[in-house]
Amino acid sequence: QVQVMESGGGLVQPGGSLRLSCVISGSIHSANAMSWYRQAAGKEREFVAGIVSGGNTKYTDSVKGRFAISRDHAMKTVYLQMNTVQPEDTAVYFCNALIRGATLWGQGTQVTVSS
């Protein structure tokens, strides 16, 4: 069974850094694209950053210059380096993987930015 699993969330102070990881397991195929979304309490899920197999990346405006998405060569692991985090970055962060036309979601990892 193909699964997507996030890790790396936690409590971080404003201005600090955190690195999230997302791993695809159970698939012999690489992802065509992988993305990070987030959902804050009482709000809709929103796109944060994405990367395709060719390496092109895309970010939502609020994280440009602060967050960086990267991947491993096999396109089965993606990272989200979060720098200069702010309280408004507090949310559950979800990983999304597109594999041969199928979209898979992880269960999410909580990121809390607070002093």
Side-chain angles (χ1 to χ4, degrees):
Q1 182 179 359
V2 181
Q3 292 184 320
V4 175
M5 183 172 293
E6 306 94 339
S7 62
L11 175 65
V12 58
Q13 292 187 344
S17 297
L18 206 61
R19 189 191 196 204
L20 306 183
S21 299
C22 172
V23 178
I24 299 171
S25 62
S27 173
I28 62 171
H29 302 291
S30 299
N32 303 106
M34 297 182 74
S35 302
W36 287 97
Y37 286 72
R38 65 187 180 187
Q39 187 167 17
K43 296 187 177 181
E44 293 187 353
R45 191 173 297 189
E46 65 171 353
F47 171 83
V48 176
I51 188 167
V52 296
S53 56
N56 288 344
T57 59
K58 185 177 181 180
Y59 299 91
T60 191
D61 286 345
S62 63
V63 308
K64 285 180 180 177
R66 300 189 299 121
F67 291 9
I69 189 170
S70 60
R71 59 171 175 82
D72 69 340
H73 180 71
M75 196 64 175
K76 289 189 175 182
T77 302
V78 67
Y79 306 97
L80 185 68
Q81 178 66 42
M82 304 168 61
N83 298 324
T84 319
V85 296
Q86 302 166 3
E88 49 266 38
D89 294 320
T90 295
V92 178
Y93 283 71
F94 296 90
C95 181
N96 169 295
L98 177 64
I99 304 174
R100 294 172 65 86
T103 299
L104 300 176
W105 289 92
Q107 293 190 334
T109 185
Q110 176 71 47
V111 173
T112 302
V113 183
S114 175
S115 56

